[in-house]
């Protein structure tokens, strides 16, 4: 109550998710439930390859995945302006595609490192928001489990996955986080 969250949604009809048995109709109903309660829906895409657990980071594959996932959200009535990359993959090619496809902002950069991603070469660590051509990069500042740590800048952008809410400990953390907020600001988008 009193807060607007941004929910970054996958496209459940994308091949990798369809293969896992995601039910697109249930997904649409879940997004509508969130939208009807004043929450914003934006895009979250993974650049999966053909083999399980692989990624296809070719320009043509990333362009297609971004275009198809956005089209799916827009076909269900959502205006997509923002993006966050699956597995935190971020490089110059992704930023260039986001700009060319008209995204306003991206939250794939982080202000913190994730140990299992160090050395992968496709993560972006920033201490503050930056403009990359036409796309505003707003780094994610905290995982929900670390929301209590001091912010490195003027805002907190906390992430969690929807499945995190199935765990009681995460629901308690979310309540604590929200109890400490007076109002979420959105100065960078409008």
């Amino acid at each position: 109550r009193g807060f607007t969250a941004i929910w970054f949604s996958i496209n459940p009809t994308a091949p990798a998710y369809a293969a896992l048995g995601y039910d697109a109709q249930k997904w649409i109903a879940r997004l509508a439930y969130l939208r009807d309660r004043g929450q914003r829906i934006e895009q979250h895409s993974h650049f999966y390859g053909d083999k399980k657990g692989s990624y296809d980071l070719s320009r043509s594959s990333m362009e297609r995945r971004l275009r198809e996932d956005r089209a799916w959200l827009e076909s269900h009535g959502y205006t997509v302006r923002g993006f966050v990359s699956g597995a935190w993959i971020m490089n110059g090619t992704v930023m260039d595609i986001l700009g060319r496809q008209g995204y306003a902002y991206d939250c794939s950069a982080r202000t913190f490192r994730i140990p299992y991603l160090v050395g992968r070469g496709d993560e972006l660590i920033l201490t503050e928001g930056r403009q990359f051509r036409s796309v505003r990069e707003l780094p994610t500042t905290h995982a929900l489990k670390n929301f209590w740590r001091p912010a490195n800048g003027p805002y907190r952008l906390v992430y969690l996955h929807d499945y995190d809410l199935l765990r009681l400990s995460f629901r308690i953390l979310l309540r604590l986080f929200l109890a400490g907020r007076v109002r979420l600001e959105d100065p960078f988008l409008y």
Side-chain angles (χ1 to χ4, degrees), residues 47-91:
F47 304 112
Y48 290 125
D50 294 332
K51 295 180 182 175
K52 186 176 180 179
S54 72
Y55 284 85
D56 183 347
L57 302 181
S58 67
R59 183 177 193 89
S60 62
S61 175
M62 291 190 294
E63 285 175 337
R64 183 179 63 255
R65 181 80 279 125
L66 287 166
R67 187 176 52 254
E68 289 175 2
D69 291 356
R70 186 178 197 169
W72 183 84
L73 284 166
E74 290 178 343
S75 75
H76 294 287
Y78 300 98
T79 301
V80 176
R81 299 184 67 226
F83 175 75
V84 68
S85 182
W88 304 105
I89 291 171
M90 181 45 58
N91 57 37

Side-chain angles (χ1 to χ4, degrees), residues 117-181:
L117 298 178
V118 172
R120 197 175 67 178
D122 57 13
E123 64 177 335
L124 181 60
I125 304 297
L126 297 174
T127 57
E128 61 188 12
R130 296 219 172 111
Q131 193 73 30
F132 288 96
R133 297 189 189 120
S134 62
V135 180
R136 182 78 174 148
E137 184 61 46
L138 301 164
T140 298
T141 63
H142 296 77
L144 180 62
K145 65 183 178 181
N146 299 324
F147 80 88
W148 49 270
R149 291 183 181 165
N152 290 340
Y155 68 92
R156 286 179 188 262
L157 197 156
V158 178
Y159 85 90
L160 70 145
H161 291 92
D162 55 354
Y163 53 77
D164 291 332
L165 298 175
L166 299 174
R167 295 173 44 198
L168 177 61
S169 60
F170 272 78
R171 290 195 309 269
I172 291 169
L173 281 171
L174 184 59
R175 286 183 185 266
L176 289 171
F177 171 71
L178 293 175
R181 304 284 142 244

